[in-house]
Amino acid sequence: YYQPTSCRPRFLLVGEPGCGQASHLAPAVIHALEKFPVYTLDLPALFVTATSLEETCARLMREAQRTAPSIIYIPHIHLWWEAVGATLKATFTTLLQNIPAFAPVLLLATSDVCHADLPTEIKELFIDDYEEVFKIQLPNEEERRMFFEDLIVNQAAKAPASKNSAAWRPLEVLPVAPPPKPQQLTEEEINQLEEQEEDTLRELRIFLRDVTHRLAIDRRFRAFTKPVDPEQVPDYDAVIKQPMDLLAILSKIDLHQYLTAGDFLRDIDLICSNALEYNPDKDPGDRLIRHRACTLRDTAYAIVREEIDEDFEQRCEEIQESRKKRGCSSSKYAPSYYRVMPKQNSVPGCTKTDPKCNEKMKIAAAPVDASTPQTCVVPDSWVRRTTRGTHSQAEEQQVTCADKAKEILTQPVIVDYYELKQLLRYVTAVTKKFSIFCMEKLYAVLSQSIYQHREDYDKTELVQEMKKEIAAFSYARC
């Protein structure tokens, strides 16, 4: 910048239309000089502004001089010179001459007209004797061959990409990871969580008591309110292994044994199934009991489905699962004074006044907490067998994938390289007078053919199709 090496740097790219002077070479020059600001003085830059053409031109050239070293770029200067008026030409020439001779402002232009045929003013701006004019020729035979060589010889002969190429890489067999440890809550957090859960379950118990009460006061379901009397039905215990009634359901509600409405409905199902099992469909009395048992079940389901909120039931299920994981007993908050005593003759050989029999009755009547988690101890040998089975399965799968990949990758690609070289010589000769645009268009057509046959192992059809495409393209151009 301080020791200039050129006087009034100018550079004009001249060539026949289609040689790429404005579309390829000038952008490449600007890209090589990308550290310098570029001011494009083309027709759109002049006519899109609200100011006059002369003012726009003067502003751009003064900005280029201020930010020197810079580049003033005029694509298609022969068209630009014909389109602007005499005033703008004089303004442009004057401003250009006023730039100091050794100011690093490069004037770069392109033209599709030969330098000798340009107007005199343009020829005076770019002097051929000073090597300021670069004449572009169409690609010669060697350049055209290099342009198409990789596409025709290499890309057209490529084998299809293997979808199982990852099978060649050996897979590492990792040990089975232990289950994550549950998050440890503090005692205060546990108490707060249990209080929130208990508030939700209290609402559930209130709702279930109301549903049970409505069922119990219904005359149709009077037979299901109390346990079956063994004296009246002596064979009932022999047939029904798990008796259930509405009073027993109330007792389970009071003992906090229902954590969801689904558990409550399962006991309603048990009442119905017991009635259907013990009362065969033979006489009218049994059929009436069966009918009322089914009515009980439908009524209970209808009430629960209509009056309970789905989000509330989901919350109860989450509480049940959380307590199961924590090992928390659901009867922890149940009243300690509540006991269900069996009948006197429920334990054979006992009398009401016998204290020993009373103890037996208490033991027999001890409530079982269905929500208490049962610990399942998994033997170490089973874990080892599972681990070995997982490893062997992974290894077997890896070997199978590798075998399939080998079958695919070892399939030979049928291609005649002599035909490809002949095709390369053919396309080199055909494109002798092609412009840059036509050569790129033909390149795109051949690339599309190669892509359509990318899954073929036999490339014979592809070579024939490429020959037809080249011939058709050359004929259409001619």
Side-chain angles (χ1 to χ4, degrees):
Y1 182 78
Y2 296 103
Q3 295 180 355
T5 57
S6 61
C7 177
R8 300 191 184 278
R10 312 280 172 83
F11 199 48
L12 176 64
L13 305 177
V14 177
E16 296 181 2
C19 289
Q21 55 270 26
S23 60
H24 291 75
L25 189 55
V29 173
I30 294 175
H31 177 72
L33 305 175
E34 60 179 352
K35 60 182 179 180
F36 304 126
V38 179
Y39 299 91
T40 304
L41 196 61
D42 55 357
L43 294 177
L46 295 175
F47 287 99
V48 297
T49 59
T51 59
S52 63
L53 303 182
E54 294 79 6
E55 185 178 354
T56 303
C57 178
R59 179 177 56 81
L60 289 177
M61 297 188 67
R62 283 197 300 266
E63 189 68 18
Q65 186 177 355
R66 186 184 65 83
T67 59
S70 59
I71 302 173
I72 299 176
Y73 175 48
I74 307 178
H76 305 291
I77 193 172
H78 60 290
L79 299 177
W80 187 89
W81 201 263
E82 293 177 0
V84 299
T87 306
L88 181 57
K89 294 179 183 178
T91 303
F92 172 72
T93 306
T94 303
L95 291 174
L96 194 62
Q97 295 296 331
N98 289 337
I99 297 177
F102 290 98
V105 178
L106 171 64
L107 177 61
L108 177 63
T110 64
S111 173
D112 295 342
V113 179
C114 179
H115 181 263
D117 299 334
L118 289 172
T120 306
E121 295 88 345
I122 299 179
K123 289 193 290 185
E124 292 178 353
L125 294 178
F126 304 95
I127 302 176
D128 192 8
D129 296 337
Y130 293 167
E131 298 182 352
E132 294 177 352
V133 178
F134 183 81
K135 299 177 182 179
I136 303 175
Q137 304 293 333
L138 290 175
N140 57 31
E141 182 178 353
E142 180 64 19
E143 291 171 343
R144 297 195 304 274
R145 186 190 65 79
M146 292 177 60
F147 180 71
F148 288 101
E149 184 175 12
D150 179 70
L151 178 68
I152 295 178
V153 178
N154 298 328
Q155 297 185 32
K158 278 186 178 180
S162 174
K163 299 180 181 179
N164 295 325
S165 58
W168 288 97
R169 298 192 298 269
L171 300 178
E172 181 183 1
V173 180
L174 301 176
V176 179
K181 295 182 180 180
Q183 182 180 2
Q184 299 296 330
L185 301 178
T186 62
E187 185 176 356
E188 182 180 357
E189 292 175 342
I190 293 176
N191 295 333
Q192 184 178 2
L193 177 62
E194 290 181 352
E195 289 179 3
Q196 295 175 355
E197 293 177 349
E198 197 58 29
D199 291 340
T200 304
L201 296 178
R202 186 178 296 109
E203 296 180 15
L204 175 66
R205 291 193 296 271
I206 294 173
F207 171 73
L208 295 181
R209 287 192 187 99
D210 179 68
V211 175
T212 308
H213 176 70
R214 289 153 65 180
L215 296 175
I217 64 176
D218 195 325
R219 292 183 178 182
R220 298 173 296 173
F221 311 136
R222 185 177 301 174
F224 310 113
T225 56
K226 298 180 181 180
V228 177
D229 190 356
E231 294 180 357
Q232 298 179 1
V233 188
D235 62 337
Y236 188 80
D237 292 338
V239 177
I240 303 301
K241 304 302 181 182
Q242 191 177 359
M244 183 57 61
D245 56 84
L246 295 178
L247 287 180
I249 288 178
L250 284 174
S251 299
K252 294 182 70 173
I253 295 174
D254 295 338
L255 291 172
H256 298 196
Q257 294 185 10
Y258 290 130
L259 298 183
T260 63
D263 297 339
F264 168 80
L265 293 177
R266 276 189 284 273
D267 279 348
I268 296 294
D269 291 338
L270 183 59
I271 295 177
C272 181
S273 61
N274 289 344
L276 297 177
E277 182 179 358
Y278 186 78
N279 299 278
D281 190 8
K282 293 182 179 179
D283 54 60
D286 291 343
R287 286 197 293 270
L288 180 60
I289 294 178
R290 294 168 64 91
H291 166 70
R292 290 180 176 176
C294 295
T295 306
L296 171 69
R297 181 183 182 278
D298 293 340
T299 305
Y301 268 85
I303 295 174
V304 172
R305 292 288 189 267
E306 182 179 357
E307 299 184 7
I308 197 170
D309 188 48
E310 294 182 0
D311 295 337
F312 180 79
E313 176 67 9
Q314 184 178 1
R315 172 61 181 156
C316 293
E317 293 176 356
E318 293 175 356
I319 293 175
Q320 184 182 35
E321 186 67 22
S322 175
R323 289 193 172 186
K324 183 178 180 181
K325 291 181 179 180
R326 300 198 316 264
C328 178
S329 175
S330 299
S331 60
K332 178 179 178 180
Y333 295 94
S336 58
Y337 53 82
Y338 195 96
R339 291 290 182 269
V340 179
M341 298 299 294
K343 289 189 176 182
Q344 176 184 348
N345 55 357
S346 61
V347 180
C350 294
T351 60
K352 187 175 181 180
T353 57
D354 189 356
K356 295 183 179 180
C357 290
N358 289 337
E359 294 295 331
K360 293 181 181 180
M361 292 179 185
K362 292 179 181 180
I363 296 175
V368 179
D369 186 4
S371 64
T372 303
Q374 302 295 327
T375 305
C376 180
V377 180
V378 181
D380 294 340
S381 59
W382 184 85
V383 176
R384 287 194 295 270
R385 288 198 300 271
T386 304
T387 305
R388 286 198 298 268
T390 305
H391 287 195
S392 61
Q393 183 179 3
E395 292 174 358
E396 182 179 355
Q397 183 179 4
Q398 178 180 348
V399 172
T400 304
C401 293
D403 293 341
K404 291 181 180 180
K406 289 179 181 178
E407 292 179 3
I408 295 175
L409 294 178
T410 54
Q411 185 175 351
V413 179
I414 302 175
V415 58
D416 191 345
Y417 285 96
Y418 177 77
E419 288 288 336
L420 291 180
K421 291 181 179 179
Q422 290 291 104
L423 185 63
L424 178 60
R425 284 193 287 269
Y426 175 58
V427 72
T428 303
V430 167
T431 57
K432 182 178 181 180
K433 298 294 184 180
F434 276 25
S435 65
I436 300 298
F437 174 78
C438 292
M439 291 178 60
E440 289 182 338
K441 185 66 176 178
L442 178 58
Y443 190 96
V445 171
L446 298 179
S447 298
Q448 186 177 8
S449 299
I450 294 173
Y451 179 78
Q452 291 175 351
H453 292 269
R454 66 190 182 280
E455 301 293 339
D456 298 344
Y457 283 90
D458 189 353
K459 303 297 183 179
T460 305
E461 184 179 353
L462 171 62
V463 175
Q464 299 301 324
E465 183 177 334
M466 293 173 69
K467 284 183 179 179
K468 294 179 181 179
E469 293 288 354
I470 296 173
F473 194 87
S474 176
Y475 177 79
R477 181 182 176 276
C478 294

